[in-house]
Amino acid sequence: MAMDVRAQACSYLRAGRVTVTAAAATEHDGQRRADVVRAHVDGHSSTYLVHLVDNTWSCTCRRPAECAHVAAVQLVTGHPSLARKPGKR
């Protein structure tokens, strides 16, 4: 399943379908990473809203555990993601 999420998330990125509309970052272990994120992903059937608040990701598709929309935004914002190559998650 993780490779399906990875393939779909990378597809969204390649097609320019991910837009981060707001992000606030702080430093964690020497690296800056967003603590609050708002983004939208133009999916195949709808535009999905992705949020990170209080260290919890959500998406309007309501499948956060296997969500390619969240995975794509995580890649852009430097968070661990199912879309990262194995060994780099």
Side-chain angles (χ1 to χ4, degrees), residues 4-89:
D4 292 340
V5 170
R6 177 173 159 42
Q8 189 62 52
C10 291
S11 174
Y12 290 137
L13 291 172
R14 281 191 304 273
R17 295 175 149 201
V18 178
T19 303
V20 176
T21 57
T26 57
E27 193 164 312
H28 298 277
D29 300 324
Q31 295 183 357
R32 288 187 64 77
R33 184 179 303 149
D35 293 328
V36 177
V37 174
R38 281 191 316 226
H40 67 264
V41 178
D42 295 323
H44 295 295
S45 61
S46 185
T47 297
Y48 299 96
L49 304 176
V50 176
H51 294 99
L52 170 64
V53 178
D54 294 330
N55 210 28
T56 301
W57 288 94
S58 65
C59 179
T60 54
C61 78
R62 300 179 191 219
R63 294 183 311 247
E66 57 188 52
C67 178
H69 313 114
V70 168
V73 175
Q74 288 170 329
L75 279 175
V76 171
T77 58
H79 285 270
S81 168
L82 288 176
R84 291 209 183 279
K85 288 184 178 182
K88 295 187 178 186
R89 294 184 183 149

